[in-house]
Amino acid sequence: MKTSAGCRVAIITSRISDGKACVLANYRGKGHRDLKAAYQFLTPRTENENPFLHDAAQCSIAAPFIFRTKSLPGFGLLQDGGVRANNPLAIGLKESTVIWPLAKTHDLLLSVGTGRSSFMAKQDKASRSFWRDSAIPRMIRATMSSPSMDGEQGFHEALNLVPDDKKPNIFRLNHEVSEALPRLDDVSRLAEMSKMRFAVPDELVRAILVTAFFFFELDGQPIKKHGVYFCQGSILCSRSYAKDLVKKVMVEFPGARFQTARGHHLGDVVEDDSCHLCGYYRKEVNFSVNGLDEMTTIGIAGSSFFQRIGGFPKSVQELLEDQQANSHFGREDHLVDCWPPKRNCYCPPRTKRQVEFQEPALEHKKRRL
Ligand SMILES: [Zn+2]
């Protein structure tokens, strides 16, 4: 995720001494960590122990039989993280809870594969023999299709452990290759493979456009009237190029409008909600809920799709807690303590235009006698 702190990158590798999965990251990884976790977060203690990205990447790709192991100061010999976690879905989910402890769950998780092929499976089914069915070939085939060797299999096995209600937020993008996959070190296939079309499903495009880029914040305390709570807030965009995103939303969702999951219309998606100068996006919306604990969802609806914006489903009480509306003595995360929040775009305050008056030419001046 891109934030003002930059993009957080974590690289999975494994220690050759005990095979334990390890994480090298460009963030410090402070926060609540389970000491019994199945992986170890490697924290550099000195500048010398802080590896460059290419060193960390070299550790991560050091697959047995193909690339040599890599030694990092302070951490010893490291090898391919895939030996223990070829698909880092479980580690990614765990790390996100350490980085963003207030977020109860991830908004979107996208797992990108490096290609998959059913070529070997077809070959295996086609030929059976006494030798092929004996113990060693069976073990080799089982290892080759295990999560440590097959990232696709690793993804599906990790997905089995994710609660059902979180699965719709997880996407897998992989490329089907008709032939056998090349060896990891076969650079001669790179040019040919780079020409393959990598199709991104429309469903994923819509999810990224809406769930990854738009979110909601309350603009004040909900007001109780006639037994319901009236809420006023803003739909905001996490990117400065909101206008381009809004245009894309309008293409992907013909007739795009913001609405609640219950069908309450909150206003059309229009370019004019974005500042023409700095791109700041704000759509003011109002809705009501029967109780502060009632779960609600805001999304973008088109003629045939509904896609929730980031953070939902959520109750108004949870929104108030997320925004730390009641932190009278300062916010836990040290963000600017401002409630109700100010909603300004990034343009500098307007100054009076300095107009230069030119003296009219002499002949137009009234002459006084
Ligand atoms: Zn502006």
PDB file of all heavy atoms in Angstrom, residues 275-280 345-347, ligand 1:
ATOM      1  N   CYS A 275     -10.869  18.910  -6.937  1.00  0.00           N
ATOM      2  CA  CYS A 275     -10.344  20.267  -7.157  1.00  0.00           C
ATOM      3  C   CYS A 275      -9.629  20.317  -8.512  1.00  0.00           C
ATOM      4  O   CYS A 275      -8.817  19.448  -8.816  1.00  0.00           O
ATOM      5  CB  CYS A 275      -9.388  20.650  -6.033  1.00  0.00           C
ATOM      6  SG  CYS A 275      -8.504  22.186  -6.368  1.00  0.00           S
ATOM      7  N   HIS A 276      -9.927  21.331  -9.285  1.00  0.00           N
ATOM      8  CA  HIS A 276      -9.343  21.428 -10.630  1.00  0.00           C
ATOM      9  C   HIS A 276      -7.849  21.711 -10.591  1.00  0.00           C
ATOM     10  O   HIS A 276      -7.140  21.438 -11.535  1.00  0.00           O
ATOM     11  CB  HIS A 276     -10.065  22.520 -11.439  1.00  0.00           C
ATOM     12  CG  HIS A 276     -11.474  22.136 -11.738  1.00  0.00           C
ATOM     13  ND1 HIS A 276     -11.804  21.292 -12.770  1.00  0.00           N
ATOM     14  CD2 HIS A 276     -12.631  22.441 -11.110  1.00  0.00           C
ATOM     15  CE1 HIS A 276     -13.118  21.107 -12.774  1.00  0.00           C
ATOM     16  NE2 HIS A 276     -13.632  21.795 -11.774  1.00  0.00           N
ATOM     17  N   LEU A 277      -7.387  22.256  -9.469  1.00  0.00           N
ATOM     18  CA  LEU A 277      -5.971  22.621  -9.404  1.00  0.00           C
ATOM     19  C   LEU A 277      -5.110  21.521  -8.778  1.00  0.00           C
ATOM     20  O   LEU A 277      -4.146  21.060  -9.366  1.00  0.00           O
ATOM     21  CB  LEU A 277      -5.808  23.927  -8.612  1.00  0.00           C
ATOM     22  CG  LEU A 277      -6.429  25.159  -9.276  1.00  0.00           C
ATOM     23  CD1 LEU A 277      -6.344  26.351  -8.344  1.00  0.00           C
ATOM     24  CD2 LEU A 277      -5.709  25.473 -10.583  1.00  0.00           C
ATOM     25  N   CYS A 278      -5.478  21.052  -7.554  1.00  0.00           N
ATOM     26  CA  CYS A 278      -4.598  20.083  -6.869  1.00  0.00           C
ATOM     27  C   CYS A 278      -5.101  18.650  -6.957  1.00  0.00           C
ATOM     28  O   CYS A 278      -4.384  17.718  -6.614  1.00  0.00           O
ATOM     29  CB  CYS A 278      -4.412  20.481  -5.411  1.00  0.00           C
ATOM     30  SG  CYS A 278      -5.906  20.274  -4.428  1.00  0.00           S
ATOM     31  N   GLY A 279      -6.346  18.449  -7.386  1.00  0.00           N
ATOM     32  CA  GLY A 279      -6.856  17.088  -7.536  1.00  0.00           C
ATOM     33  C   GLY A 279      -7.534  16.536  -6.292  1.00  0.00           C
ATOM     34  O   GLY A 279      -8.034  15.420  -6.309  1.00  0.00           O
ATOM     35  N   TYR A 280      -7.548  17.302  -5.175  1.00  0.00           N
ATOM     36  CA  TYR A 280      -8.179  16.813  -3.932  1.00  0.00           C
ATOM     37  C   TYR A 280      -9.635  16.457  -4.193  1.00  0.00           C
ATOM     38  O   TYR A 280     -10.391  17.235  -4.774  1.00  0.00           O
ATOM     39  CB  TYR A 280      -8.079  17.904  -2.866  1.00  0.00           C
ATOM     40  CG  TYR A 280      -8.784  17.585  -1.566  1.00  0.00           C
ATOM     41  CD1 TYR A 280      -8.185  16.770  -0.622  1.00  0.00           C
ATOM     42  CD2 TYR A 280     -10.035  18.125  -1.277  1.00  0.00           C
ATOM     43  CE1 TYR A 280      -8.820  16.482   0.578  1.00  0.00           C
ATOM     44  CE2 TYR A 280     -10.680  17.847  -0.087  1.00  0.00           C
ATOM     45  CZ  TYR A 280     -10.069  17.026   0.835  1.00  0.00           C
ATOM     46  OH  TYR A 280     -10.704  16.755   2.015  1.00  0.00           O
ATOM     47  N   CYS A 345      -8.698  21.403   0.486  1.00  0.00           N
ATOM     48  CA  CYS A 345      -7.855  20.845  -0.565  1.00  0.00           C
ATOM     49  C   CYS A 345      -6.428  21.358  -0.346  1.00  0.00           C
ATOM     50  O   CYS A 345      -6.161  22.116   0.581  1.00  0.00           O
ATOM     51  CB  CYS A 345      -8.390  21.160  -1.950  1.00  0.00           C
ATOM     52  SG  CYS A 345      -8.217  22.845  -2.469  1.00  0.00           S
ATOM     53  N   TYR A 346      -5.509  20.894  -1.168  1.00  0.00           N
ATOM     54  CA  TYR A 346      -4.096  21.202  -0.938  1.00  0.00           C
ATOM     55  C   TYR A 346      -3.650  22.534  -1.564  1.00  0.00           C
ATOM     56  O   TYR A 346      -2.477  22.859  -1.544  1.00  0.00           O
ATOM     57  CB  TYR A 346      -3.224  20.064  -1.492  1.00  0.00           C
ATOM     58  CG  TYR A 346      -3.621  18.720  -0.947  1.00  0.00           C
ATOM     59  CD1 TYR A 346      -4.123  17.732  -1.778  1.00  0.00           C
ATOM     60  CD2 TYR A 346      -3.509  18.453   0.417  1.00  0.00           C
ATOM     61  CE1 TYR A 346      -4.514  16.504  -1.263  1.00  0.00           C
ATOM     62  CE2 TYR A 346      -3.895  17.231   0.935  1.00  0.00           C
ATOM     63  CZ  TYR A 346      -4.400  16.257   0.090  1.00  0.00           C
ATOM     64  OH  TYR A 346      -4.782  15.057   0.599  1.00  0.00           O
ATOM     65  N   CYS A 347      -4.613  23.252  -2.143  1.00  0.00           N
ATOM     66  CA  CYS A 347      -4.242  24.513  -2.771  1.00  0.00           C
ATOM     67  C   CYS A 347      -3.922  25.554  -1.688  1.00  0.00           C
ATOM     68  O   CYS A 347      -4.558  25.556  -0.637  1.00  0.00           O
ATOM     69  CB  CYS A 347      -5.384  25.041  -3.625  1.00  0.00           C
ATOM     70  SG  CYS A 347      -5.693  23.987  -5.041  1.00  0.00           S
TER      71      CYS A 347
HETATM   72 ZN    ZN B   1      -7.104  22.329  -4.615  1.00  0.00          ZN
END
